[in-house]
Amino acid sequence: MSKPCILCCAITGSVPTKADNPAVPTTVTEQIESSHAAVEAGASIIHAHVRNDDETPSSDPERFALLKEGLEKHCPGVIIQFSTGGRSGAGQARGGMLPLRPDMASLSVGSNNFPTRVYENPPELISWLSSEMQTYEITPEIEAFDLSHILQAIRHHETGTLYGQLYVQFVMGVKNAMPVDREVFEFYVKIMQERAPNAEWCAAGIGAAQITVNEWAIAAGGHTRAGLEDNVRLDRNTLAPSNAALIARAAELCEKYERPVATPAQAREILGLRAVT
C-alpha cells in the first residue's frame, strides 16, 4: 500500500494536566516546542486546544493567535487545526478563533454522552460553526463519536454546507460513547467507502486504545491521530515522554504496513488544502 498516511498530533486537549503527565504542553510556548518535535517525528497536522494559566480549558482567540503565529514560524507548512470542542467554551465562543483562518478546525455534527456530561452540539450551533468555516475557508475535520455523526457529515457535505473536501475522524474509546470495537470500525470504513468514496477518513483511539486504533486505521488505508490529548501513557506502567513519542509509534506502524508517512505538503494535497506560499 503506497498511499501516504497522514499523522495528526493532538497535542494538549482540554482534560489532561501536568498532574497526569508532566509532558502535557499547556502554555503556548510548550505547545509550540512539543509540536515542533511531533512534526519532526512525522506529524503533518497539529490539532490544537489552548489553556488558561491554571491549565483549565480556554477558547481565548488571543491565545490561539499566539499559538498559530508560533506554529507558522517554527513548524513551517504544518497543517494547523483548531478545536471548536465543547469543553473549551459554550455556544459561539467555541468558534471565536475561526477568523484567524487556520487550515482546518474540528467540527462535531451531533451530540453524545461523555464520561460525566452530555456533549451538546445543537443543530443551530453546528450550522453557525459550519457557516463560519465557509466564510473563512476552513476545512472541517468531522469528529464522529457515533455512526449518526458520520451519516450527518456525509449529508452536510452533499448539501454543500461544509467547506472543502470531506474529512471524517472516527473517535473510539470515549467512556459512554462508541467503544473500541473492530466490527464497528470496519463498518465505519465500509460506510465511508460506499457513501463517500471521494472523502478521506481518520481514526483516533482514547487511552490505552490509541495504539490499537492507530494500527487499524493504518492497515485499512486511512489516516490516524495520536498525542497526549487522547492518551498520556506508552503502556500501563510508563508515561509517554512527549507527543513526539506517540507520533513515532504511529510512524513505526506505517513502516510495518509499508505506508509512507505523509509530509505536510502531501497531506495538504490529499486533503485539498491551500498550499503554503
Side-chain angles (χ1 to χ4, degrees):
M1 190 184 301
S2 60
K3 180 180 179 180
C5 179
I6 298 169
L7 301 182
C8 173
C9 187
I11 55 172
T12 302
S14 296
V15 175
T17 66
K18 290 185 180 298
D20 300 306
N21 183 332
V24 175
T26 57
T27 69
V28 169
T29 298
E30 290 173 342
Q31 289 174 320
I32 294 165
E33 292 174 350
S34 187
S35 295
H36 182 267
V39 171
E40 292 281 303
S44 53
I45 300 176
I46 298 297
H47 174 76
H49 296 242
V50 294
R51 301 284 187 94
N52 296 309
D53 293 342
D54 63 358
E55 297 189 50
T56 56
S58 174
S59 55
D60 182 0
E62 292 186 7
R63 291 177 186 262
F64 274 109
L66 289 172
L67 179 57
K68 183 172 183 282
E69 180 183 7
L71 291 175
E72 289 173 339
K73 179 178 179 180
H74 296 286
C75 308
V78 75
I79 296 168
I80 299 172
Q81 182 188 102
F82 287 165
S83 172
T84 66
R87 286 192 176 106
S88 302
Q92 293 187 3
R94 288 167 51 178
M97 80 299 288
L98 294 176
L100 296 171
R101 292 175 61 92
D103 301 293
M104 302 183 75
S106 64
L107 178 65
S108 296
V109 293
S111 301
N112 61 278
N113 287 340
F114 267 8
T116 60
R117 57 184 282 257
V118 175
Y119 182 27
E120 294 187 49
N121 293 288
E124 60 271 20
L125 178 59
I126 297 167
S127 295
W128 182 80
L129 288 169
S130 299
S131 176
E132 288 290 282
M133 293 183 198
Q134 290 272 15
T135 297
Y136 297 108
E137 299 181 325
I138 301 166
T139 296
E141 178 197 72
I142 304 300
E143 293 193 334
F145 297 88
D146 196 320
L147 173 61
S148 66
H149 300 172
I150 297 173
L151 300 176
Q152 284 294 317
I154 294 170
R155 183 183 67 82
H156 282 300
H157 188 260
E158 288 174 345
T159 57
T161 58
L162 298 181
Y163 179 79
Q165 182 176 319
L166 180 60
Y167 189 50
V168 176
Q169 175 174 255
F170 318 147
V171 184
M172 309 187 82
V174 174
K175 184 179 179 181
N176 298 326
M178 183 56 68
V180 177
D181 184 303
R182 182 63 180 266
E183 188 175 4
V184 170
F185 170 81
E186 291 175 352
F187 184 71
Y188 282 178
V189 175
K190 181 174 180 286
I191 287 290
M192 291 298 298
Q193 291 173 339
E194 292 181 353
R195 303 195 185 191
N198 296 320
E200 295 289 336
W201 61 268
C202 172
I206 306 303
Q210 182 172 93
I211 191 66
T212 300
V213 176
N214 288 160
E215 183 157 15
W216 290 354
I218 292 165
H223 310 291
T224 198
R225 167 170 132 168
L228 292 167
E229 170 176 351
D230 300 335
N231 167 45
V232 297
R233 296 182 175 276
L234 289 177
D235 56 48
R236 183 182 296 272
N237 300 312
T238 310
L239 291 175
S242 62
N243 275 302
L246 296 172
I247 290 295
R249 287 201 311 179
E252 289 173 0
L253 289 171
C254 290
E255 184 176 357
K256 174 180 176 180
Y257 290 98
E258 299 183 348
R259 291 190 61 190
V261 174
T263 66
Q266 288 173 322
R268 286 179 179 276
E269 183 177 359
I270 291 168
L271 298 177
L273 304 177
R274 54 185 175 267
V276 175
T277 56

